């Protein structure tokens, strides 16, 4: 059972789980929090942590097991436009209207890198992390595409998008394999190929594209402002169009042959994807204006109806937790008996520093350090 997590314009984070009862698909709300004091702009999930950024200049980190705030990061001085965990879950990258990109270590939540003027001081619009976790791409108000080396912890190269006829880029996303990425700008969706270091295909839509969701390295969905969805295959010049919502398609997420879509009016829909067909499974209205969605794939973190558990099942859970303690699943807390299990160092991304003052870890600045607010009753994960 997966859990759909939704961010809203009203500042709420909402959770929904899709389940089947008596042969009927149902969507049940699992949690609701109001941690942000203004609109939620972006969300990202890694392990048991969910990070959300908003127009209140805060990054809220939610513990998906306890469903309460784990920590609040207040290192930006402007709206948080983008948050992205590395695929290994070791770091969190955030971009803001203040023009900076910050790399934060997951667990102790200390800044490990600050690119203060990542896009020449202009707002950072969106960040995409490569599946290898070795590099990230960002777009911003300076109309450039910038590549960041996450192994060395420094910028790699810059592409002037204006010279290629691309203005006001709003979203960038990698394909599952990482060799392609999509870039939205005005009426166009451009597909770039990293191995060829250039533009591979341009799709011009009859309505402004709002978001892209890759299904495979060869196929992607494009959500439009008129409520339609365009299905594009790289090996095929013809695109298919589906009617998804009455209002603008605000965000999309694809997982396990299911497409999750949300409209700007708050309508949430779940679709079955197979053989070039979309079949609606369920829909519900969140009664809020949806701004972003993601999926919590760890079903053991989804709150279920209380049930009586015997001693035998508890012992089985303990054994399973011990067996997985050396894997990535060790990020998730097990029963109280195994909370003392020590987590192995699992840093996938290494951030190094040079002698320049700007490249020194910002966490050494006492003024910066005070801005990371961790509730006294919550301990940071080691």
């Amino acid at each position: 059972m997966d859990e759909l997590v939704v961010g809203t314009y009203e500042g709420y984070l909402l959770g929904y789980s899709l389940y089947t009862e008596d042969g009927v698909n149902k969507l049940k709300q699992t949690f609701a929090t109001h941690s942000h004091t203004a609109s939620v702009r972006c969300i990202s999930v890694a392990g048991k942590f969910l990070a959300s950024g908003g127009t209140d200049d805060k990054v809220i980190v939610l513990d998906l097991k306890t469903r309460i705030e784990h920590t609040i990061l207040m290192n930006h001085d402007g709206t948080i436009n983008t948050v992205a965990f590395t695929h290994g879950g070791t770091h969190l990258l955030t971009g803001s209207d203040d023009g900076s990109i910050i790399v934060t270590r997951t667990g102790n939540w200390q800044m490990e890198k600050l690119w203060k003027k990542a896009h020449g001081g202009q707002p950072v619009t969106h960040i995409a992390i490569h599946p290898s976790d070795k590099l990230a791409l960002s777009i911003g108000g300076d109309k450039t595409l910038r590549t960041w080396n996450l192994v060395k912890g420094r910028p790699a190269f810059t592409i002037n998008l204006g010279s290629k006829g691309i203005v006001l880029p709003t979203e960038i996303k990698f394909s599952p394999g990482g060799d392609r990425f999509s870039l939205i700008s005005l009426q166009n969706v451009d597909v770039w190929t990293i191995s060829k270091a250039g533009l591979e295909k341009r799709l011009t839509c009859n309505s402004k594209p709002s978001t892209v969701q890759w299904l495979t390295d060869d196929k992607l969905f494009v959500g439009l402002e008129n409520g339609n969805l365009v299905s594009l295959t790289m090996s095929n010049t013809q695109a298919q169009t589906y009617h998804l919502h009455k209002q603008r398609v605000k965000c999309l997420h694809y997982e396990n042959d299911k497409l999750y879509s949300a409209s700007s009016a708050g309508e949430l829909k779940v679709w079955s994807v197979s053989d070039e067909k979309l079949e609606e499974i369920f829909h519900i209205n969140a009664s809020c204006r949806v701004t972003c969605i993601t999926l919590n794939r760890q079903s053991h973190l989804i709150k279920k109806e209380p049930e009586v558990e015997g001693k035998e099942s508890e012992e089985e859970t303990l054994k399973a937790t011990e067996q997985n303690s050396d894997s990535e699943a060790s990020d998730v807390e097990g029963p109280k008996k195994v909370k003392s299990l020590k987590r192995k160092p699992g840093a996938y991304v290494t951030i190094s520093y040079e002698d320049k003052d700007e490249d020194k870890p910002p966490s050494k600045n006492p003024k910066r350090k005070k801005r990371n607010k961790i509730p006294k009753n919550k301990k940071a994960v080691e």
Side-chain angles (χ1 to χ4, degrees):
M1 180 174 67
D2 294 327
E3 181 179 43
L4 182 68
V5 183
V6 175
T8 71
Y9 183 84
E10 292 77 11
Y12 287 94
L13 288 173
L14 307 174
Y16 296 90
S17 65
L18 179 68
Y19 67 101
T20 303
E21 184 177 305
D22 298 329
V24 179
N25 291 315
K26 296 184 178 181
L27 203 62
K28 178 180 65 176
Q29 186 171 324
T30 52
F31 75 94
T33 68
H34 199 200
S35 300
H36 288 276
T37 56
S39 172
V40 179
R41 295 292 297 272
C42 47
I43 50 180
S44 181
V45 171
K48 70 170 186 173
F49 295 118
L50 181 145
S52 60
T55 56
D56 54 4
D57 305 353
K58 296 188 294 186
V59 175
I60 304 290
V61 179
L62 187 73
D63 188 321
L64 288 174
K65 185 174 183 180
T66 61
R67 304 306 166 103
I68 60 176
E69 292 177 15
H70 180 77
T71 188
I72 303 176
L73 306 177
M74 300 183 67
N75 300 315
H76 287 288
D77 295 320
T79 294
I80 314 299
N81 295 317
T82 177
V83 294
F85 279 108
T86 55
H87 297 275
T90 59
H91 293 80
L92 174 68
L93 276 70
T94 56
S96 168
D97 272 354
D98 63 12
S100 67
I101 292 178
I102 293 177
V103 181
T104 304
R105 161 72 74 168
T106 302
N108 60 17
W109 307 107
Q110 296 298 311
M111 285 189 291
E112 290 201 355
K113 196 69 181 177
L114 167 65
W115 291 301
K116 194 171 184 180
K117 294 185 178 181
H119 282 268
Q122 296 297 312
V124 179
T125 308
H126 203 247
I127 296 173
I129 299 177
H130 192 269
S132 68
D133 280 352
K134 294 181 179 180
L135 64 89
L137 300 178
S138 66
I139 50 178
D142 60 347
K143 301 176 185 178
T144 63
L145 168 65
R146 300 189 181 243
T147 303
W148 307 93
N149 186 326
L150 297 183
V151 177
K152 299 291 185 180
R154 62 190 180 199
F157 59 85
T158 302
I159 297 176
N160 184 352
L161 297 175
S163 65
K164 299 183 180 295
I166 300 174
V167 295
L168 300 176
T170 57
E171 182 189 88
I172 185 168
K173 283 186 178 179
F174 276 108
S175 65
D179 188 46
R180 291 184 171 120
F181 64 88
S182 58
L183 186 63
I184 293 179
S185 173
L186 297 180
Q187 298 288 119
N188 301 323
V189 175
D190 293 339
V191 177
W192 294 55
T193 306
I194 293 181
S195 58
K196 297 179 181 178
L199 178 64
E200 180 182 359
K201 195 168 189 175
R202 170 169 290 180
L203 173 67
T204 301
C205 306
N206 56 9
S207 179
K208 188 176 180 180
S210 53
T211 186
V212 167
Q213 175 60 57
W214 287 88
L215 280 72
T216 65
D217 290 326
D218 188 57
K219 184 178 180 180
L220 67 156
F221 284 155
V222 181
L224 305 178
E225 286 204 344
N226 62 6
N228 289 342
L229 179 81
V230 175
S231 175
L232 177 66
T233 303
M234 299 304 299
S235 56
N236 192 344
T237 56
Q238 293 184 343
Q240 289 183 300
T241 302
Y242 302 91
H243 182 68
L244 244 61
H245 297 276
K246 294 180 181 179
Q247 288 84 17
R248 175 174 51 152
V249 178
K250 184 64 179 176
C251 34
L252 299 169
H253 188 92
Y254 175 76
E255 197 88 28
N256 299 328
D257 296 326
K258 290 186 180 66
L259 177 70
Y260 300 84
S261 66
S263 74
S264 55
E267 189 178 38
L268 303 174
K269 289 188 177 183
V270 184
W271 306 81
S272 173
V273 182
S274 62
D275 300 327
E276 303 293 331
K277 293 181 181 179
L278 285 179
E279 182 180 350
E280 184 179 322
I281 299 176
F282 194 81
H283 71 273
I284 192 174
N285 198 301
S287 300
C288 293
R289 287 170 288 178
V290 176
T291 56
C292 48
I293 60 175
T294 190
L295 206 64
N296 170 24
R297 294 175 292 273
Q298 303 196 51
S299 58
H300 56 285
L301 294 180
I302 302 174
K303 198 171 184 179
K304 300 177 181 178
E305 297 296 328
E307 55 185 24
V308 180
E309 296 184 357
K311 184 177 179 182
E312 186 176 339
S313 62
E314 184 179 349
E315 291 177 354
E316 291 177 356
T317 305
L318 179 61
K319 289 179 181 179
T321 307
E322 290 173 340
Q323 291 173 356
N324 295 328
S325 61
D326 292 336
S327 65
E328 290 182 5
S330 64
D331 289 346
V332 181
E333 292 182 0
K336 292 183 179 179
K337 295 182 180 180
V338 297
K339 278 188 177 179
S340 60
L341 285 174
K342 215 164 188 181
R343 193 176 150 200
K344 291 181 68 177
Y348 192 84
V349 179
T350 302
I351 304 295
S352 61
Y353 308 98
E354 298 179 358
D355 295 330
K356 294 180 182 180
D357 292 338
E358 183 179 308
D359 288 335
K360 290 182 180 179
S363 58
K364 293 183 179 180
N365 185 341
K367 293 183 180 180
R368 254 322 157 182
K369 192 171 182 180
K370 288 179 181 178
R371 299 182 73 178
N372 284 356
K373 295 184 180 180
I374 301 178
K376 294 181 181 179
N377 61 341
K378 298 289 170 189
K379 293 183 179 180
V381 179
E382 295 181 356

